[in-house]
């Protein structure tokens, strides 16, 4: 696998650190995308802190503002433009450096729009040029000349950037980058480039180090995690097997052996790549949570075909049955898009039917959003907005009804909860999650934070449960 040399980035970080020393400079970062985007933000924060910037929430106080953008749906893009309107005055008042990164910057029409309507930005960089960020920043500090640093690259892996993690108990670890699936609605393959996996050794050593630092839960990230190392295997791209790891299933088994890690989660797998070895690994590994996110997108075989998802309604349901049979206590969550071009009422009813049958723990619902450059955008049979919204509401009703029933079933049960910290809404309570990723609040000593404890669930609320510690 091609690894990028980051020596010049690390040297530049040290140079900027010297320039900034004693100046008490501040940075703010806005993260607008998925967990991979958040993981990139943690690396940007790591770099900025090493460069002697301290984090502030209030954009007004910042000397450097970084936007880490997302373009998966239109509303993600709108957020950036709204915020740019706000930061323009800070730029004028105090010369704040404005850097815009992330997936949206890989779209040429967006960068053009920025130049036309928001020409005050200093740096644009894409997800492939994360390591360039300090180098671009240095150019701005030294000669105040605007830098555009966007690359169309296919298959490189960056290792060794500094990282500052948001959380002390849960850590996310990207295991692969990019996507080769080209679902016809989705922009991700165009902005994140081709699928490529990290070396097993790099991942395992990162998780071992996290365990030593006291992290308890590891979230493995990728656009298509269960095809980890597949592209490499199929195309004879050399990688080094390490501790028996040569696939996603073997990776789960290896991480399961790492001492002091309590929980392992992963997103997102693709139903078409859910091979038996992965199902068996989930069953066998005690630390791997039994909540599996299995993106459905649509329940209609016709729509799935046009979406290029490579499975039918029946194949999806058969997979769910097999998983339920093999993995005791399995729970499922999913992503669904309503209003994809050509979606007829019967197609939508197929989606409702699958939701009814699978009985998900959680459903992330999206209204189809046209993305420039994708096949879906060019389709003529777009669905009118009011129909999309009406279907979305019907799906939401069904999901909420199912979740309400499920919540009731939790009452009186004993659940293993990994305590994550103090509740954000009530400082006197602690919060944690079940294996199935349900939020549970409880009263308890701070010493419980980071522990995996049995709780009895005593009451349920739509988005969380309440529990009490079971003694003895
Ligand atoms: N690689 C992951 C996640 C992709 S993005 C996966 O395949 O599951 C997360 C979710 O956003 C997708 O699962 C899909 O449900 C939704 N999504 C992607 N493109 C979209 C679009 N154009 N409109 C609406 N939702 C979209
Ligand atoms: Fe997008 Fe499909 Fe790739 Fe997921 S698998 S990132 S939905 S193209
Ligand atoms: Fe958005 Fe990029 Fe993630 S488009 S969903 S931030 S991969």
């Amino acid at each position: 696998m091609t690894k990028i040399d980051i020596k010049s980035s690390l040297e530049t970080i040290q140079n900027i650190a010297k320039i900034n020393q004693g100046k008490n400079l501040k940075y703010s970062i806005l993260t607008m995308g998925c967990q991979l985007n958040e993981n990139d933000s943690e690396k940007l924060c790591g770099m900025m802190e090493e460069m002697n910037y301290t984090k502030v929430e209030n954009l007004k106080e910042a000397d450097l503002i970084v936007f880490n953008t997302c373009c998966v749906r239109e509303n993600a893009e709108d957020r950036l433009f709204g915020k740019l309107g706000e930061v323009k005055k800070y730029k004028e008042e105090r010369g704040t450096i404005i850097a815009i990164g992330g997936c949206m910057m890989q779209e040429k029409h967006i960068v053009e729009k920025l130049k036309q309507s928001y020409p005050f930005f200093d740096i644009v960089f894409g997800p492939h040029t994360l390591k360039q960020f300090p180098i671009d920043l240095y150019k701005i500090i030294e000669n105040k000349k605007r830098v555009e640093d966007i690359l169309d690259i296919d298959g490189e892996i960056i290792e060794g950037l500094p990282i500052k993690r948001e959380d002390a108990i849960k850590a996310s670890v990207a295991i692969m980058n990019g996507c080769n699936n080209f679902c016809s609605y989705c922009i991700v393959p165009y902005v994140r480039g081709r699928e490529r996996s990290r070396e097993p050794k790099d991942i395992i050593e990162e998780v071992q180090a996290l365990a030593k630092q006291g992290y308890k839960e590891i979230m493995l990230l990728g656009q298509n995690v269960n095809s980890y190392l597949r592209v490499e295997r199929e195309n004879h791209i050399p990688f080094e097997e390490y501790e028996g790891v040569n696939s996603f299933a073997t990776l789960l088994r290896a991480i399961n052996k790492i001492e002091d890690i309590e929980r392992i989660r992963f997103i997102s797998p693709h139903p078409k790549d859910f091979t038996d070895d992965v199902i068996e690994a989930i069953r066998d590994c005690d630390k791997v949570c039994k909540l599996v996110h299995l993106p459905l997108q649509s329940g209609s075989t016709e729509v799935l075909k046009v979406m290029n998802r490579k499975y039918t309604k029946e194949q999806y349901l058969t997979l769910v049955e097999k998983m339920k049979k093999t993995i005791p206590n399995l729970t499922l969550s999913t992503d669904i898009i309503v209003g994809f071009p050509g979606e007829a009422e019967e197609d939508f009813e197929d989606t409702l039917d699958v939701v009814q049958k699978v009985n998900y723990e959680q459903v992330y619902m999206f209204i189809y959003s046209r993305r420039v450059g994708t096949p879906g955008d060019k389709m003529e049979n777009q669905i009118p907005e009011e129909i999309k919204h009406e279907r979305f509401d019907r799906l939401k009703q069904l999901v909420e009804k199912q979740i309400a029933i499920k919540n009731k079933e939790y009452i009186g049960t004993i659940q293993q909860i990994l305590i994550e910290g103090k509740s954000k809404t009530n400082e006197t309570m602690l919060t944690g999650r079940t294996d199935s990723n349900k939020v549970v609040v409880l009263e308890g000593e701070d010493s419980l934070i980071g522990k995996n404890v049995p709780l009895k669930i005593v009451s349920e609320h739509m988005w969380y449960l309440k529990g009490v510690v079971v003694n003895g």
Side-chain angles (χ1 to χ4, degrees):
M1 270 172 252
T2 335
K3 277 195 206 169
I4 302 189
D5 183 9
I6 61 158
K7 203 164 141 245
S8 59
S9 309
L10 297 178
E11 281 168 7
T12 311
I13 289 176
Q14 294 315 318
N15 288 340
I16 299 181
K18 275 188 214 124
I19 296 172
N20 287 351
Q21 207 158 29
K23 291 189 182 157
N24 190 23
L25 297 176
K26 309 276 193 324
Y27 78 93
S28 253
I29 184 161
L30 271 94
T31 307
M32 297 162 160
C34 61
Q35 301 197 36
L36 274 161
N37 189 252
E38 284 171 14
N39 189 255
D40 284 347
S41 281
E42 292 184 333
K43 289 174 187 150
L44 289 163
C45 290
M47 291 191 264
M48 288 190 280
E49 305 239 337
E50 286 213 5
M51 293 187 282
N52 276 327
Y53 289 95
T54 353
K55 192 171 181 178
V56 284
E57 292 303 320
N58 191 342
L59 298 182
K60 237 189 221 171
E61 294 168 25
D63 301 282
L64 166 62
I65 298 177
V66 180
F67 295 98
N68 196 7
T69 62
C70 168
C71 52
V72 76
R73 286 171 295 273
E74 196 178 351
N75 51 10
E77 295 191 343
D78 292 344
R79 271 192 70 200
L80 172 70
F81 295 122
K83 279 288 170 196
L84 281 175
E86 178 190 336
V87 301
K88 183 168 186 249
K89 56 178 184 290
Y90 308 145
K91 173 91 203 167
E92 286 162 0
E93 283 163 19
R94 54 178 298 179
T96 314
I97 298 173
I98 311 284
I100 318 174
C103 293
M104 208 172 153
M105 296 307 107
Q106 293 295 131
E107 295 184 290
K108 291 197 174 61
H109 69 280
I110 294 285
V111 179
E112 282 312 309
K113 179 170 171 180
L114 285 177
K115 284 190 206 159
Q116 291 277 324
S117 310
Y118 305 88
F120 53 87
F121 68 85
D122 297 292
I123 304 170
V124 296
F125 62 103
H128 309 304
T129 43
L130 216 56
K131 69 150 182 77
Q132 288 296 110
F133 173 69
I135 296 167
D136 300 342
L137 185 62
Y138 187 78
K139 288 181 192 155
I140 292 290
I141 296 171
E142 282 294 287
N143 54 30
K144 312 240 174 322
K145 210 169 166 300
R146 185 155 96 197
V147 190
E148 284 172 43
D149 214 339
I150 300 160
L151 268 180
D152 283 322
I153 54 169
D154 272 355
E156 284 158 329
I157 291 282
I158 302 174
E159 294 288 348
L161 287 180
I163 183 157
K164 169 133 197 308
R165 295 179 186 275
E166 276 287 299
D167 198 283
I169 307 292
K170 299 197 284 187
S172 61
V173 173
I175 63 168
M176 64 196 311
N177 259 307
C179 181
N180 286 357
N181 288 328
F182 291 93
C183 303
S184 61
Y185 50 82
C186 185
I187 192 81
V188 171
Y190 304 90
V191 295
R192 283 268 170 179
R194 296 292 59 75
E195 192 171 308
R196 61 244 182 232
S197 299
R198 287 176 70 195
E199 286 281 354
K201 186 167 191 268
D202 292 327
I203 299 172
I204 290 177
E205 288 182 350
E206 183 174 348
V207 178
Q208 283 166 340
L210 288 165
K212 285 218 176 74
Q213 291 163 38
Y215 284 92
K216 300 292 175 202
E217 181 172 315
I218 301 297
M219 172 68 95
L220 303 174
L221 297 179
Q223 294 299 350
N224 195 0
V225 282
N226 52 347
S227 74
Y228 173 68
L229 287 178
R230 196 194 57 201
V231 169
E232 286 74 12
R233 279 196 313 271
E234 284 175 359
N235 298 302
H236 308 289
I237 298 169
F239 66 89
E240 241 174 85
E241 211 172 294
Y242 182 74
E243 297 197 354
V245 178
N246 56 17
S247 64
F248 185 59
T250 46
L251 179 68
L252 285 179
R253 289 182 189 274
I255 295 181
N256 196 59
K257 288 194 200 124
I258 297 176
E259 232 176 281
D260 294 331
I261 294 298
E262 298 271 349
R263 275 183 175 173
I264 303 161
R265 297 185 190 275
F266 53 89
I267 55 163
S268 277
H270 194 301
K272 78 175 165 60
D273 296 306
F274 233 109
T275 43
D276 289 350
D277 60 336
V278 176
I279 300 178
E280 285 155 17
I282 299 170
R283 176 197 62 197
D284 297 344
C285 295
D286 57 331
K287 297 176 183 176
V288 173
C289 290
K290 306 308 177 215
L291 170 78
V292 176
H293 185 67
L294 196 64
L296 170 68
Q297 313 301 0
S298 167
S300 151
T301 295
E302 282 303 300
V303 173
L304 285 168
K305 189 151 184 255
V306 188
M307 282 179 163
N308 193 28
R309 290 291 291 176
K310 303 192 171 76
Y311 52 86
T312 62
K313 175 185 180 183
E314 288 68 32
Q315 283 167 335
Y316 184 93
L317 287 171
T318 308
L319 173 64
V320 166
E321 276 319 303
K322 180 158 62 166
M323 288 170 70
K324 282 185 175 170
K325 250 195 226 127
T326 316
I327 307 167
N329 300 320
L330 177 81
T331 52
L332 290 159
S333 63
T334 200
D335 286 355
I336 292 176
I337 299 176
V338 299
F340 181 77
E343 183 187 70
E345 173 61 25
E346 306 86 81
D347 295 315
F348 176 64
E349 282 166 14
D350 272 330
T351 299
L352 294 178
D353 185 45
V354 176
V355 171
Q356 189 78 51
K357 288 193 168 110
V358 177
N359 199 6
Y360 296 100
E361 200 65 29
Q362 200 163 3
V363 181
Y364 299 89
M365 297 167 267
F366 306 106
I367 289 177
Y368 171 68
S369 170
R370 294 173 77 160
R371 303 287 72 209
V372 174
T374 62
D377 186 44
K378 296 187 195 82
M379 292 176 190
E380 279 168 12
N381 42 2
Q382 301 289 328
I383 304 294
E385 284 304 312
E386 62 277 14
I387 297 186
K388 287 190 202 170
H389 282 92
E390 182 253 344
R391 287 183 186 160
F392 182 87
D393 291 342
R394 278 161 67 197
L395 175 62
K396 189 160 165 265
Q397 269 177 25
L398 171 61
V399 168
E400 286 182 357
K401 201 174 85 191
Q402 286 184 318
I403 291 181
I405 296 171
K406 269 184 178 289
N407 281 350
K408 289 211 169 63
E409 290 169 0
Y410 275 99
I411 296 182
T413 62
I414 308 288
Q415 300 284 330
Q416 246 352 91
I417 310 292
L418 178 63
I419 313 283
E420 294 170 5
K422 285 187 191 298
S423 159
K424 286 205 178 79
T425 46
N426 181 349
E427 276 281 296
T428 66
M429 304 287 276
L430 296 178
T431 177
R433 280 171 195 263
T434 61
D435 176 281
S436 59
N437 212 30
K438 273 255 170 225
V439 176
V440 181
V441 296
L442 64 143
E443 276 171 26
E445 302 288 324
D446 287 3
S447 59
L448 286 177
I449 296 172
K451 301 238 160 70
N452 197 354
V453 292
L455 291 195
K456 184 170 182 179
I457 306 302
V458 290
S459 66
E460 55 92 13
H461 311 264
M462 190 69 196
W463 303 116
Y464 67 98
L465 306 170
K466 258 193 192 149
V468 290
V469 180
V470 180
N471 291 317

